[in-house]
Amino acid sequence: MKLRDLAGILPVEGTASADLEVTGISSDSRQVRSGVVFFALAGTKADGVTYAADAARRGAAAIVAGSAIAGLSVPVLAVDDPRLALALSAARYFGRQPETMVAVTGTSGKTSVAAFTRQIWEQTGYAAASIGTTGVVAPGRNDYGSLTTPDPVALHQLLKELADAGVTHASMEASSHGLDQRRLDGVRLAAGGFTNLGRDHMDYHPTIEDYHRAKLRLFDTLLPKGAPAVIFADDPWSAPTIQAAQAAGLEVLTVGRHGDFLRLKRVEHERHRQRAEVEAGGVLYEVDLPLAGDFQISNALVSAGLAISTGTPVAKALMALEKLKGAPGRLDLVGTTTNGAPVYVDYAHKPDALENVLASVRPFTTGRVIVVFGCGGDRDRGKRPIMGEIATRLADVVIVTDDNPRSEVPETIRAAILAAAPGAIEIGDRRQAIHEAVAMLHAGDTLIVAGKGHEEGQTIGTETLHFSDHEEVRAALRERAA
C-alpha cells in the first residue's frame, strides 16, 4: 500500500509523500518500523505527540497528529480526529472483514449476546465468530481476551484473519470506551443491538447521560441508514435509545415483553432452564432456554433479533435458542454441594448486573441466597455503597471480599461497601471468602460468587496474580465432599 491509498482519510493528495510505501499502522511508537504510519493519540495518561520523535527515529513513513509537530524528519499529517483517522486507516489497510458484522452495546449482557448470536449462526450453518470481553471464539480458535472492544489496529487485523479463515458472520461487543474512542469506526456493520443501561464507568463518563450518548454512537454514527437496530424494549433507557435509532433512520426492531419484533408472552423459571412463549410475526413459538435467569431470556431475544435481521429464518433462530451455552462466567453453574446447593460464578461487577443475578436465582431458591462480592480499585467509587445496598436487600447472607484492588487499599474499598451493607460479613481474602461461603451452604441454598466471572487473575498493586473463582469454587466443593 502507498500512502496515497489512505487519501480521503489522511491529507496526502498532491503531497510529495503520497508515493511513500506503507508497511503498517500503529499508535504505539515501540511497534514502529520502517514504513509504518504512526498515529499520535492523546490519552488519559500520556500524549502520543511525546513519542512522535521516537517513531520517526524508528523509520515511520509519516506521523499523524491533531496538529503540526515541528522538527521531525518525516511528514506530519494533521487531522481533526486522530483516533477516527486511525480506525479508518486500519480498516482500509487490512481491508477484509467477515461479510456480516453485528455489534451490541449496553451495560450488561453484551458478552452473552455476542456469544449467543454466534451460536445461532453456527447452528444454522454459518462459519461464525464472536469478539468481546472473554476473547475471540471462531472455528478453530478460542483466544482469551482482556478488552471488551480491541484497539482499532488489533481489531481490523483480527477481522482480516477471520475473513481469510472463512468466517462469514461475526458478532462483537461495543463498549462505551470503544465507541467513544472510535475503536469500531471502519467496521462494516450490518446490524446493531442494545441490551440495557445502568451505572457503569462513572470514572470515565461524567454523567449517566454522557455514558448513554457514547453508547448511541453505534446507532447514530456507525450503522448505515436503514440498518436494523435490535433494541430490548423493557429497560428504562429503551425509549431514548429507540428515539435515537429512529432519528438516525434505522429500522428499529424491539424485543422483550414490550417488543414488537419478538414479544415475550410468557416465561416459566426453573432451576437450570426457562420455558418461554415468544410471538414473532403473529406466530407463537415455544422455546426451552437451557439457562437460568430472566436476564438471559432478554439476552437471547436480542441475539435472535440480530440473527433474524441479518438473514436467519425466524423459526431456525428461535429453535437454536434451545441449544445455547452460556458465556463463560455469566451465571455459570460451577457445581453443587452433596446436599444439592448450587454454586454459580458471575461477572456481575456493576449495580444493575448484581441486582439482576441475585433476583434471577430467587425464584428457584427455597433456602438462602448467599453472595460473595467486592468492588475493583481505581474505578467508579460511587457504585460501592450502591452494590452493598443491593446485596443486603436481595441476598440473605452477604460476604464482602476483595475483587481487583489495584492501587487502592483493599480495606478502604470494603469499608465503602460495608457502609451500606449492615450485617454483611467481611472476609478480605477472596479464596477464604469463597471457601467459607461454600462451607455454610445448606440444602435449598444458592451461592453466587460475583464480580470476576471468567477472569483468571487478581490485580493487587501493579501485580496480577493467578486467581480463578471457578477453580476456588471447585476446590471448596471438593473439600466439603471429602
Side-chain angles (χ1 to χ4, degrees):
M1 172 182 279
K2 300 288 187 181
L3 197 56
R4 74 159 64 89
D5 295 321
L6 297 176
I9 302 171
L10 305 180
V12 296
E13 299 94 333
T15 66
S17 57
D19 287 329
L20 290 173
E21 191 71 30
V22 174
T23 62
I25 305 286
S26 182
S27 61
D28 184 344
S29 65
R30 296 167 297 183
Q31 303 299 319
V32 171
R33 62 189 186 281
S34 179
V36 169
V37 178
F38 173 69
F39 288 74
L41 307 182
T44 55
K45 296 180 180 178
D47 191 333
V49 171
T50 307
Y51 303 100
D54 179 53
R57 284 192 298 271
R58 292 172 181 266
I63 308 292
V64 179
S67 59
I69 306 173
L72 296 183
S73 59
V74 301
V76 177
L77 307 173
V79 297
D80 292 335
D81 190 338
R83 289 187 179 277
L84 177 60
L86 170 65
L88 298 180
S89 296
R92 190 172 294 180
Y93 179 80
F94 289 105
R96 296 198 67 199
Q97 301 179 17
E99 297 162 18
T100 302
M101 291 286 311
V102 303
V104 57
T105 196
T107 298
S108 300
K110 298 186 296 298
T111 301
S112 293
V113 170
F116 293 169
T117 305
R118 169 182 52 79
Q119 292 178 52
I120 295 169
W121 281 331
E122 287 174 341
Q123 291 184 49
T124 49
Y126 296 114
S130 58
I131 305 165
T133 306
T134 55
V136 180
V137 180
R141 70 187 288 176
N142 190 339
D143 306 338
Y144 181 81
S146 59
L147 284 178
T148 302
T149 308
D151 74 80
V153 177
L155 174 60
H156 287 287
Q157 182 175 1
L158 170 62
L159 295 182
K160 182 181 188 304
E161 290 173 0
L162 293 174
D164 288 346
V167 170
T168 59
H169 290 61
S171 55
M172 64 179 297
E173 299 180 48
S175 68
S176 62
H177 289 70
L179 290 163
D180 185 56
Q181 295 171 9
R182 314 301 195 248
R183 296 185 212 161
L184 279 86
D185 289 70
V187 178
R188 295 187 287 275
L189 294 170
F194 173 82
T195 57
N196 50 61
L197 197 85
R199 183 190 177 102
D200 198 20
H201 302 306
M202 291 296 103
D203 52 327
Y204 182 90
H205 300 283
T207 64
I208 190 74
E209 289 76 18
D210 181 79
Y211 176 46
H212 185 236
R213 277 193 295 273
K215 298 286 189 186
L216 290 181
R217 278 200 82 243
L218 174 60
F219 304 104
D220 61 28
T221 303
L222 299 185
L223 284 172
K225 284 195 183 305
V230 180
I231 299 174
F232 179 60
D234 305 335
D235 188 75
W237 288 86
S238 298
T241 306
I242 291 168
Q243 292 167 6
Q246 289 173 335
L250 303 179
E251 180 190 9
V252 174
L253 306 174
T254 55
V255 303
R257 287 179 171 82
H258 296 94
D260 292 326
F261 186 59
L262 297 176
R263 175 162 295 189
L264 180 63
K265 302 290 287 186
R266 186 178 67 86
V267 61
E268 294 179 8
H269 299 282
E270 298 181 13
R271 182 174 285 267
H272 302 309
R273 68 173 183 173
Q274 299 170 79
R275 296 174 180 269
E277 290 183 355
V278 180
E279 182 182 349
V283 179
L284 197 62
Y285 298 85
E286 292 188 358
V287 177
D288 278 357
L289 186 72
L291 300 167
D294 199 52
F295 65 94
Q296 291 287 38
I297 284 278
S298 307
N299 294 336
L301 290 177
V302 174
S303 305
L306 287 170
I308 294 165
S309 68
T310 52
T312 302
V314 174
K316 286 189 174 182
L318 294 178
M319 190 183 306
L321 299 184
E322 300 196 345
K323 297 181 179 179
L324 290 183
K325 294 181 179 179
R330 274 61 181 177
L331 200 57
D332 199 349
L333 178 63
V334 182
T336 58
T337 61
T338 53
N339 57 21
V343 183
Y344 294 91
V345 165
D346 193 86
Y347 190 51
H349 59 283
K350 57 200 85 168
D352 285 9
L354 185 64
E355 184 158 6
N356 286 339
V357 74
L358 291 176
S360 71
V361 300
R362 179 61 73 182
F364 57 76
T365 300
T366 57
R368 302 168 300 167
V369 173
I370 302 172
V371 63
V372 174
F373 84 103
C375 289
D378 303 332
R379 298 294 187 267
D380 176 15
R381 300 184 181 198
K383 72 179 181 182
R384 296 168 188 174
I386 298 173
M387 293 180 70
E389 185 279 326
I390 290 170
T392 50
R393 173 164 46 88
L394 296 179
D396 302 292
V397 179
V398 177
I399 299 176
V400 176
T401 188
D402 292 343
D403 192 295
N404 292 313
R406 300 185 178 90
S407 71
E408 286 195 61
V409 177
E411 290 83 359
T412 302
I413 300 172
R414 297 197 302 270
I417 301 169
L418 290 162
I425 302 166
E426 181 180 10
I427 304 175
D429 184 286
R430 193 173 182 91
R431 178 174 288 106
Q432 180 186 348
I434 291 172
H435 284 244
E436 292 199 19
V438 170
M440 66 174 63
L441 285 170
H442 300 148
D445 291 347
T446 298
L447 170 60
I448 301 289
V449 180
K452 294 179 62 59
H454 64 283
E455 293 178 354
E456 297 181 352
Q458 184 177 31
T459 305
I460 302 172
T462 58
E463 188 177 6
T464 299
L465 307 172
H466 177 77
F467 191 95
S468 164
D469 283 353
H470 288 78
E471 291 176 8
E472 293 305 326
V473 167
R474 284 192 287 267
L477 289 170
R478 286 194 301 270
E479 285 176 7
R480 174 152 182 182

